[in-house]
C-alpha cells in the first residue's frame, strides 16, 4: 500500500504526493517532544484534565518539570464575568496539583508575593494565591460560532468562511482545492471525510492527529477536542480563542486553518501538518544539544516576523518555547499553539517613511494596511482584511554594507527605511501564564504584563537555541521563578557565541519591561540589532533552511483500529466507526 516518496515540493504548495505511508511508530513522524515543557494555563490539573489514563501516562512521560497552570487568570467566560467568585475554585485547582512543585505546594503566597519576597522580604509560611483581574483581556461569547446540536457533522461554513480568499498567502495551496472539491461534491465537510492516520500528540485541550482528506492524498493535522471535557474543565474559551486566532492568520510562519467543524461530541480544527517535529526535539538531536549560530539566526528571524505579525493583529503570544515551534516540510518554521494568547487592541502606526510617495500615501491613510484588532467581544480580530498586514513591506529589505551602522541607536536615527510600530503597548493582563523557564519577571511578580513578555520569551528562546539550556533554570520550578527575578544573566563560556548574539540577549532579558529591547518599537527595534545584520527580511521565507526534514512516509494503518486503549471510551461518531475508520480516538 505504500506509495513512493516524491521529490519535495516548493515551499508555497507542499507536495502532498511526497507523503508516503509509514508505520505508526515511525519516529520521523513523531512530533511530540521527548521532554516537553508545558505552559502555565488556566486551571490545568494533571489529574482532572485527561479522562483517559493512557493519555495521562503519555503526558507524564513527556512533561518537563514545568507544569502548566494559570494561577489567577481566567479564560473561561464565566470567570471573566465573575472573577471574584472564582478564586476559591482556582485555589482548589492549584491544590489539586495545578502548580505542583512550582508554587502551590510551596510556601508561596502568590506570584506577586514572590516578587516581594525575593530580595525584598523573606519567603513566608503557608501560601495562598490571590485572584487578580484582567485588563485588556476580553471574554466573549462562545456561542458566536454556532455548534452543531443535531447532526454528526457540521461544516464550518455555517459559522465562518475560511478560504484561500481570506488567506492570500496560501492561495496556491492544493489543499484548499481538495477541501473545496469535497465541499462542492457533498455540500458539507465533516469528520467523515477524513481518515485519522496517526496520533501526533496531545495537549491540554485536545489531541492532534495526522489525517487525510479521503481520496485526495491531502494531509492535515487535525486537532480534536472533546466538547464536554472542555466544558467541564472550563477550557471552552481557550479552545475558542485558539480557533478565532487561527481563523485570522495568514502568514508564512503561522499555521493555516483550512477548516473547522463540530460533531455532537467533538470540535475539530484542520490545520497544516508539519512533518519536521518541533524545535525542542530538533535541538536535542544536535551535537551538544544546541544549534549553530547561523541556524539560530534563521529560526529566530522567522519567529520574529511571526511575532511582529501577531502583535500587529493585537495578539500577544505569551507561550514562545521551542516545543511550540514546528518545522514544516520545507524546513521553515511554524509557530503553533495559540490557546494562551492574549488578544487586545492595537493601533499600528507608520512613524516614518523614507519614500516621499509612500509618505504622501500615509498622509492619506493608505500607506499600509495596518489593521488594529477589533475589540468587540464577538469580533476580536477581523479575519478578512482585504489587504492583510504584511511583514514583507519594503522596509524589510536588507541594507547594503555601506548603509549599515554599527550601533542600533544610530540605525534608528538615520535609517532610510520606513518604520512601523505594531506593538500593543497598552495591553495589560494579570494572568499567570507561560512556562516556568520562560516566564517574564513582571508575570511572576504579578505586576501586570503586556507585549514586552513576548520579547522576554524571545530572549530566553534565543539563549536556549544557542546554549542548549535556558538561563534561569533552577533545581525546581520555584527556584526557577526566583532566579528569573533575582539572578543576573550569565553566559556559559561554552559554546562560544558571538558578541552580537549575547548583546541581543542582554537587551531582551532586561528584567524591567520598560527598558527591554522591543518594548517601545516592537519587532522593528529588534530587527535593527547587529545580530540580524545581513538578514533579508523580505525574502527569508525563500532562504534555505538549516535543515529540511526527510520526506515523510505515511503508512496506511491496518483497517482495524490501531490505537484504542479504552475501546469503550472511543467516540460514537458514526464517521469514525464506519468501515473507513483508520484510527479511533484514544483521548476521550
Ligand atoms: N500542525 C501540526 N503538525 C504536526 N504536529 C502537530 C501540529 N500541531 C500540533 N502537533 C503536535 O501535537 C502536539 C499537541 O499539540 P497541541 O497544540 O494540542 O498541544 P500543546 O502544544 O501541548 O498545547 P496545549 O497545551 O495548548 O494543548 C504537539 O506537541 C505537536 O507535537
Amino acid at each position: 500500500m505504500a506509495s513512493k516518496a516524491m521529490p519535495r515540493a516548493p515551499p508555497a504548495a507542499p507536495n502532498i504526493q511526497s507523503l508516503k505511508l509509514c508505520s505508526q511508530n515511525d519516529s520521523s513522524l513523531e512530533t511530540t517532544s521527548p521532554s516537553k515543557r508545558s505552559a502555565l494555563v488556566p486551571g490545568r490539573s494533571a489529574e482532572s484534565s485527561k479522562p483517559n489514563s493512557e493519555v495521562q501516562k503519555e503526558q507524564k512521560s513527556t512533561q518537563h518539570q514545568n507544569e502548566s497552570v494559570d494561577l489567577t487568570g481566567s479564560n473561561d467566560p464565566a470567570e471573566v464575568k465573575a472573577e471574584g467568585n472564582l478564586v476559591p475554585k482556582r485555589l482548589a485547582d492549584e491544590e489539586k496539583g495545578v502548580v505542583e512543585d512550582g508554587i502551590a505546594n510551596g510556601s508561596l503566597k502568590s506570584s506577586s508575593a514572590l516578587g516581594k519576597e525575593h530580595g525584598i522580604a523573606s519567603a513566608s509560611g503557608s501560601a495562598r494565591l490571590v485572584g487578580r483581574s484582567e485588563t485588556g483581556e476580553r471574554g466573549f461569547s462562545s456561542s458566536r460560532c454556532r455548534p452543531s446540536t443535531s447532526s454528526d457533522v457540521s461544516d464550518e461554513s455555517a459559522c465562518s468562511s475560511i478560504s484561500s480568499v481570506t488567506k492570500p498567502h496560501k492561495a496556491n495551496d492544493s489543499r484548499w482545492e481538495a477541501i473545496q472539491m469535497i465541499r462542492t461534491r457533498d455540500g458539507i465537510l465533516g469528520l467523515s471525510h477524513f481518515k485519522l492516520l496517526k496520533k501526533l500528540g496531545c495537549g491540554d485541550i485536545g489531541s492532534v492527529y495526522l489525517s487525510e482528506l479521503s481520496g485526495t492524498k491531502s494531509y492535515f493535522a487535525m486537532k480534536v477536542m472533546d466538547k464536554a471535557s472542555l466544558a467541564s474543565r472550563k477550557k471552552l474559551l481557550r479552545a475558542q480563542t485558539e480557533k478565532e486566532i487561527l481563523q485570522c492568520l495568514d502568514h508564512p510562519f503561522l499555521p493555516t486553518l483550512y477548516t473547522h467543524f463540530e460533531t455532537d461530541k467533538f470540535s475539530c480544527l484542520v490545520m497544516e501538518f508539519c512533518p519536521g517535529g518541533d524545535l525542542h526535539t530538533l535541538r536535542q538531536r544536535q551535537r551538544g544539544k544546541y544549534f549553530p549560530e547561523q541556524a539560530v539566526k534563521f529560526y529566530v528571524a522567522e519567529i520574529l516576523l511571526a511575532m511582529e505579525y501577531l502583535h500587529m493583529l493585537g495578539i500577544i503570544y505569551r507561550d514562545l518555547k521551542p516545543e511550540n515551534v514546528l518545522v514544516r516540510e520545507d524546513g521553515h518554521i511554524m509557530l503553533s499553539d495559540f490557546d494562551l494568547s492574549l488578544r487586545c487592541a492595537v493601533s499600528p502606526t507608520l512613524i516614518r517613511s523614507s519614500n516621499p510617495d509612500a509618505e504622501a500615501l500615509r498622509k492619506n491613510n493608505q500607506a499600509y494596511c495596518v489593521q488594529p484588532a477589533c475589540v468587540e467581544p464577538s469580533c476580536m480580530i477581523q479575519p478578512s482584511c482585504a489587504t492583510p498586514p504584511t511583514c514583507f513591506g519594503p522596509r524589510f529589505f536588507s541594507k547594503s554594507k555601506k548603509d549599515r551602522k554599527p550601533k542600533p541607536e544610530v540605525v534608528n536615527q538615520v535609517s532610510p527605511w520606513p518604520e512601523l510600530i505594531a506593538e500593543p503597548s497598552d495591553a495589560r493582563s494579570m494572568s499567570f501564564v507561560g512556562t516556568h523557564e520562560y516566564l517574564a519577571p513582571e508575570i511572576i511578580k504579578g505586576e501586570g504584563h503586556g507585549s514586552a513578555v513576548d520579547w522576554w520569551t524571545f530572549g530566553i528562546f534565543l539563549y536556549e537555541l544557542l546554549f542548549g539550556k535556558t538561563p534561569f533554570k533552577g533545581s525546581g520550578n520555584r527556584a526557577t521563578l526566583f532566579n528569573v527575578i533575582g539572578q543576573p544573566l550569565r553566559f556559559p563560556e561554552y559554546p562560544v557565541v558571538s558578541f552580537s548574539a549575547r548583546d541581543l540577549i542582554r537587551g531582551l532579558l532586561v528584567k524591567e519591561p520598560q527598558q527591554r529591547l522591543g518594548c517601545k518599537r516592537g519587532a522593528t527595534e529588534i530587527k535593527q540589532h547587529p545580530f540580524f545584520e545581513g538578514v533579508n527580511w523580505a525574502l527569508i521565507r525563500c532562504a534555505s533552511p538549516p535543515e529540511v526534514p526527510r520526506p515523510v512516509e505515511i503508512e496506511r494503518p491496518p483497517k482495524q483500529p490501531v490505537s484504542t486503549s479504552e475501546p469503550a471510551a472511543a467516540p460514537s461518531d458514526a464517521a469514525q466507526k464506519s468501515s473507513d475508520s483508520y484510527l479511533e480516538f484514544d483521548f476521550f
Side-chain angles (χ1 to χ4, degrees), residues 173 464 522 587:
D173 188 337
E464 181 169 6
F587 177 61

Side-chain angles (χ1 to χ4, degrees), residues 93-318:
D93 279 350
E94 286 143 19
E95 279 152 22
K96 272 192 270 168
V98 175
V99 282
E100 295 186 345
D101 66 335
I103 293 174
N105 295 341
S107 60
L108 206 54
K109 283 185 176 174
S110 69
S111 60
S112 79
L114 174 62
K116 287 180 191 128
E117 285 161 2
H118 187 83
I120 304 167
S122 61
S124 58
S126 65
R128 283 193 61 79
L129 296 153
V130 293
R132 278 167 278 174
S133 65
E134 296 287 334
T135 34
E137 203 161 6
R138 303 284 299 265
F140 58 90
S141 165
S142 59
S143 63
R144 185 172 84 84
C145 186
R146 190 161 39 91
S148 165
T149 51
S150 57
S151 63
D152 278 333
V153 291
S154 69
D155 195 349
E156 97 295 338
S157 57
C159 55
S160 74
S161 56
I162 306 173
S163 74
S164 56
V165 177
T166 55
K167 297 184 188 292
H169 280 112
K170 305 279 178 169
N172 298 323
D173 188 337
S174 59
R175 284 165 289 203
W176 287 116
E177 286 164 30
I179 284 180
Q180 198 47 45
M181 187 186 80
I182 301 292
R183 199 177 276 149
T184 308
R185 191 190 67 193
D186 296 354
I188 198 164
L189 191 69
L191 194 54
S192 62
H193 291 103
F194 291 87
K195 292 168 186 163
L196 305 188
L197 302 174
K198 176 184 163 63
K199 187 171 182 173
L200 296 167
C202 61
D204 191 39
I205 60 171
S207 292
V208 180
Y209 295 86
L210 171 62
S211 53
E212 180 189 350
L213 184 57
S214 303
T216 68
K217 293 219 163 56
S218 289
Y219 296 91
F220 300 91
M222 187 194 291
K223 185 160 183 170
V224 182
M225 292 160 282
D226 181 329
K227 293 192 285 189
S229 168
L230 289 178
S232 66
R233 294 185 298 124
K234 302 198 186 304
K235 311 276 184 187
L236 279 171
L237 188 57
R238 276 183 59 196
Q240 182 78 2
T241 297
E242 179 158 48
K243 184 170 79 181
E244 294 197 358
I245 289 177
L246 286 170
Q247 271 179 287
C248 73
L249 302 180
D250 180 31
H251 191 277
F253 309 134
L254 292 168
T256 301
L257 180 68
Y258 289 92
T259 187
H260 61 87
F261 48 80
E262 302 203 356
T263 71
D264 283 346
K265 293 183 76 173
F266 303 110
S267 177
C268 305
L269 303 174
V270 179
M271 298 171 286
E272 181 178 346
F273 165 56
C274 289
D278 62 68
L279 271 196
H280 181 65
T281 311
L282 194 57
R283 181 178 71 72
Q284 308 284 341
R285 289 200 214 118
Q286 307 297 308
R287 193 186 303 170
K289 302 199 172 173
Y290 56 84
F291 289 101
E293 196 164 324
Q294 277 306 314
V296 174
K297 191 185 282 196
F298 175 89
Y299 291 130
V300 298
E302 295 202 335
I303 290 292
L304 186 54
L305 291 180
M307 211 74 104
E308 177 181 57
Y309 175 89
L310 290 173
H311 283 193
M312 205 179 283
L313 289 178
I315 298 165
I316 303 175
Y317 180 61
R318 300 204 290 192

Side-chain angles (χ1 to χ4, degrees), residues 48 92 99 381 385 512:
S48 62
V99 282
I381 295 154
C385 178
E512 178 53 53

Side-chain angles (χ1 to χ4, degrees), residues 420-441:
L420 178 74
I421 298 183
E423 202 61 6
S425 45
D426 290 338
R428 274 288 163 272
S429 167
M430 302 300 284
S431 291
F432 196 79
V433 169
T435 299
H436 288 88
E437 286 164 55
Y438 276 76
L439 281 178

